[in-house]
Amino acid sequence: MAKKNTKMRIFDVSIDLFSKYGYDGVSIRQIAKEVGIKESSIYNHYQSKESILESILSYYINEMLKEEAPVMQSRENLDMDFDQFYKEGSDRFILKLSEPKMMRITRIFLVESYHNEKIRNFVKEAIIGYAIKGWQDLFELMKEKRFIKKDADIKQLAESFYYYGLFLLYEHFIINYPEDDEKFLKDFEKRTTAHMKLLFNSVKIEDKGKNKDDKSNEESIRLEEENDYLKVENLVRDAFWNVYRPGAYEHYIVHNLREDGSFIEDLAYVMEKDNEIIGHINYSKGRLNLYKENRYGVDIKLNEGSKDAVVLGPIAIDSKYQKQGYGSRLINHTLRLARDMNIPFIFVIGDENYYSRFGFESASKYNFFLDGTDTNEENPFFMIKVFENKFKDIDYDKGIFHNPKVFYVDEEEVDEFDRNFEYKEKKVQEGQLEI
C-alpha cells in the first residue's frame, strides 16, 4: 500500500477542489480527471459526491477531537493556573488547525454553510453546538471550583468566547481570502487569547491570599544552555530511573547527543519553574529508508528515503511536576517550532494514548516501521506527526526508521558514566521492558 491508495487520492483531491471552487462547483468528472482515473472508478470507493463530503466532514471532527484536551479533561487539569490551562488547549487547537488539509476543510464548511443544508447542519451541531456545550461545561466547573463568580452567565460566557473565534475564521476564509494562513494563525492566537483573558478577568474571583507581585510561580521555556547540562542529565536520570529497566540510560543518550551530528540544537529546550529546571526535551535526526518489492519478492531500497527523519525524545519532567500539564506544554511549544523550521514529519516512540493528543498517529498508517520490529503488524508505540507528507507521490511498499546510532548504548559504558552521579539502587520492577 505504500503509494497513496486511490481512495485517499480521491479524498485529498476533493478537499482541494471543494476549497477552491465550492462543493457545487465541482463534478465527479472533474475529481476523476484530477486523480487520473475513470469517472466510474470513483464509485468503487464512494457512492456519490455527497458521500465524499461526508467523509471529509467526519475526518475533520475526528482530527479536531484529538486536540480538545485539556478542556474535555478539565476536572483534572483545572488545578493548574488558568492562563496555562487555556494556553495548552489553544496551542493544541492551533497546531491541528495549521495543517494545510485542516485549513482547506475549514474553508469548505465555512463557505458552503451558506447554501448547503448538510454542511449547515454539520456546522450548527458538530462545530458550534458541540463546542459551546464543551465551554459551558468548563465554565460550570470553574464556577463549582469557585474560580469565577456565582452570578456569571455561563451560556453567555461560552457564546461570547466561541463566537469571537468563529468570526475570526469567517473573516479570514471569506472576507480576507486568500490571506496568508501563517500570518492569520499567529494573529488568531493573539486575538483569541486577549479576548479570553478579557472575559475571564471580568468574572474571576480574585485570590486574596496571593500576592500579585509574587513571581515565584512563573515558568518559562527556553533553549538549553551549556551550564544546564549537568542539571538536565540529573533530571533525565531521575525521571527514568527504574522505569523501563533497572537503572536508566536516557541521561547517557542526552549527554552523547550534544556531540553527535544527529542532534538538533535548536530544538533542545528546558522548562523552568521557580528558577529551577523541571523539564527537558530533545529532538534528533534518524534515517528513514524506503523499500519497493520487486516481482521476485525482494525488497529494493529506494533513493527517496530521508536522512533527516526527526525523532522526539528523550523528554523528561521532574517527578514532582508530572501529570500537571508541563510535559504537554513543552511538547506543544517545540512541535510548533519544528513546524516553523519546515520539518515535514516527526517520529516518536512511546504511549500512543499520550502522544495521540498532539496529533501523532500510528506510523504503520504510512507503512513506516521501527527498525527491528515486525513489518507485518502495527506497532502502536511507534508514531508519526506529519506536517507535510513528503512521500505521498512515491511508489514504495514500506519504510524502515533507524534511530540515531547514539541511541544504542553499551551497558558497561552507561555504568561507567553513571559513576559521575549520586548512587541510586537499580531495581527490577513490574512493568519494565527488560526484566
Side-chain angles (χ1 to χ4, degrees), residues 46-247:
Y46 294 97
Q47 293 181 352
S48 61
K49 188 173 77 165
E50 186 176 27
S51 69
I52 299 176
L53 176 63
E54 289 174 351
S55 69
I56 291 172
L57 300 181
S58 176
Y59 171 85
Y60 185 91
I61 285 297
N62 289 335
E63 288 296 301
M64 277 303 184
L65 287 182
K66 294 178 182 178
E67 305 304 315
E68 285 185 314
V71 171
M72 302 312 289
Q73 301 171 11
S74 51
R75 187 168 294 277
E76 294 78 12
N77 285 288
L78 258 184
D79 288 332
M80 70 175 76
D81 179 84
F82 181 73
D83 286 347
Q84 298 172 354
F85 169 84
Y86 174 74
K87 187 177 187 308
E88 183 177 338
S90 175
D91 283 350
R92 291 178 184 181
F93 174 78
I94 292 173
L95 192 65
K96 175 56 66 175
L97 183 64
S98 66
E99 296 174 12
K101 184 182 292 187
M102 299 299 283
M103 291 290 279
R104 289 193 287 271
I105 298 175
T106 301
R107 183 166 196 271
I108 291 171
F109 73 69
L110 289 176
V111 173
E112 296 296 323
S113 61
Y114 176 71
H115 51 77
N116 185 301
E117 185 176 0
K118 178 177 286 293
I119 295 182
R120 184 163 57 250
N121 289 334
F122 167 79
V123 172
K124 286 170 62 177
E125 297 171 13
I127 302 294
I128 297 177
Y130 184 83
I132 289 181
K133 174 63 167 57
W135 280 104
Q136 281 185 258
D137 291 345
L138 171 63
F139 287 125
E140 283 287 1
L141 179 59
M142 292 174 69
K143 184 183 286 190
E144 175 189 322
K145 288 197 163 204
R146 301 185 67 186
F147 288 173
I148 61 176
K149 299 172 184 176
K150 285 185 178 180
D151 60 352
D153 188 323
I154 299 304
K155 188 171 187 295
Q156 186 178 57
L157 274 174
E159 291 178 345
S160 296
F161 170 68
Y162 187 74
Y163 283 137
Y164 179 69
L166 193 61
F167 161 74
L168 294 181
L169 291 173
Y170 270 105
E171 183 181 52
H172 173 66
F173 287 105
I174 298 175
I175 299 174
N176 295 332
Y177 183 80
E179 183 184 58
D180 177 69
D181 286 343
E182 186 175 347
K183 177 180 177 296
F184 161 72
L185 286 169
K186 290 179 180 178
D187 189 50
F188 180 84
E189 180 181 18
K190 290 179 183 177
R191 292 171 73 180
T192 53
T193 298
H195 183 69
M196 189 59 190
K197 285 183 178 179
L198 181 68
L199 286 176
F200 180 66
N201 288 336
S202 70
V203 295
K204 75 176 182 179
I205 297 175
E206 292 290 345
D207 185 353
K208 296 179 181 179
K210 182 177 179 180
N211 182 354
K212 292 182 180 180
D213 296 326
D214 181 11
K215 297 185 178 181
S216 63
N217 287 321
E218 285 188 352
E219 70 176 58
S220 64
I221 299 175
R222 61 169 176 79
L223 279 168
E224 180 188 54
E225 299 172 355
E226 188 172 350
N227 59 6
D228 299 325
Y229 289 176
L230 184 56
K231 294 177 183 178
V232 164
E233 289 164 14
N234 269 294
L235 169 72
V236 175
R237 181 176 185 255
D238 290 344
F240 284 97
W241 195 262
N242 291 335
V243 175
Y244 296 115
R245 62 195 62 79

Side-chain angles (χ1 to χ4, degrees), residues 347-377:
F347 289 110
V348 71
I349 301 165
D351 182 356
E352 66 270 25
N353 295 318
Y354 179 74
Y355 285 102
S356 63
R357 70 177 68 174
F358 307 105
F360 282 91
E361 54 191 335
S362 174
S364 60
K365 175 181 175 181
Y366 299 86
N367 273 16
F368 296 155
F369 302 91
L370 182 62
D371 179 40
T373 60
D374 190 342
T375 59
N376 294 313
E377 295 183 3

Side-chain angles (χ1 to χ4, degrees), residues 214-417:
D214 181 11
K215 297 185 178 181
S216 63
N217 287 321
E218 285 188 352
E219 70 176 58
S220 64
I221 299 175
R222 61 169 176 79
L223 279 168
E224 180 188 54
E225 299 172 355
E226 188 172 350
N227 59 6
D228 299 325
Y229 289 176
L230 184 56
K231 294 177 183 178
V232 164
E233 289 164 14
N234 269 294
L235 169 72
V236 175
R237 181 176 185 255
D238 290 344
F240 284 97
W241 195 262
N242 291 335
V243 175
Y244 296 115
R245 62 195 62 79
Y249 57 63
E250 285 78 6
H251 58 306
Y252 186 53
I253 293 175
V254 168
H255 175 80
N256 290 335
L257 257 179
R258 300 190 188 103
E259 301 299 324
D260 193 76
S262 66
F263 182 53
I264 304 179
E265 185 177 359
D266 291 339
L267 287 176
Y269 273 78
V270 296
M271 173 177 275
E272 286 186 316
K273 186 175 177 64
D274 300 341
N275 298 315
E276 293 293 332
I277 294 176
I278 67 165
H280 176 261
I281 193 168
N282 267 335
Y283 291 78
S284 52
K285 299 174 184 177
R287 186 176 79 258
L288 178 66
N289 293 332
L290 300 184
Y291 296 87
K292 178 69 178 175
E293 187 177 294
N294 67 15
R295 59 178 178 172
Y296 303 108
V298 177
D299 288 333
I300 305 300
K301 186 190 295 186
L302 304 177
N303 295 325
E304 292 89 346
S306 174
K307 295 180 181 178
D308 296 330
V310 174
V311 60
L312 184 163
I315 174 174
I317 300 294
D318 187 305
S319 59
K320 300 190 298 293
Y321 296 96
Q322 291 176 8
K323 297 183 180 180
Q324 297 177 45
Y326 294 106
S328 295
R329 292 197 285 284
L330 193 53
I331 291 172
N332 275 320
H333 180 81
T334 51
L335 284 178
R336 293 181 66 184
L337 291 172
R339 182 196 64 206
D340 292 343
M341 291 166 62
N342 296 317
I343 293 174
F345 56 90
I346 293 174
F347 289 110
V348 71
I349 301 165
D351 182 356
E352 66 270 25
N353 295 318
Y354 179 74
Y355 285 102
S356 63
R357 70 177 68 174
F358 307 105
F360 282 91
E361 54 191 335
S362 174
S364 60
K365 175 181 175 181
Y366 299 86
N367 273 16
F368 296 155
F369 302 91
L370 182 62
D371 179 40
T373 60
D374 190 342
T375 59
N376 294 313
E377 295 183 3
E378 182 178 5
N379 307 139
F381 58 86
F382 180 53
M383 291 158 283
I384 186 171
K385 166 94 178 163
V386 177
F387 297 117
E388 180 184 355
N389 190 347
K390 291 284 190 179
F391 307 108
K392 61 183 178 181
D393 297 321
I394 299 175
D395 185 13
Y396 68 95
D397 288 320
K398 65 183 177 185
I400 304 297
F401 173 72
H402 299 261
N403 273 312
K405 291 182 179 179
V406 71
F407 277 46
Y408 304 98
V409 300
D410 180 276
E411 192 168 342
E412 291 184 3
E413 291 180 359
V414 176
D415 288 340
E416 182 62 31
F417 177 70

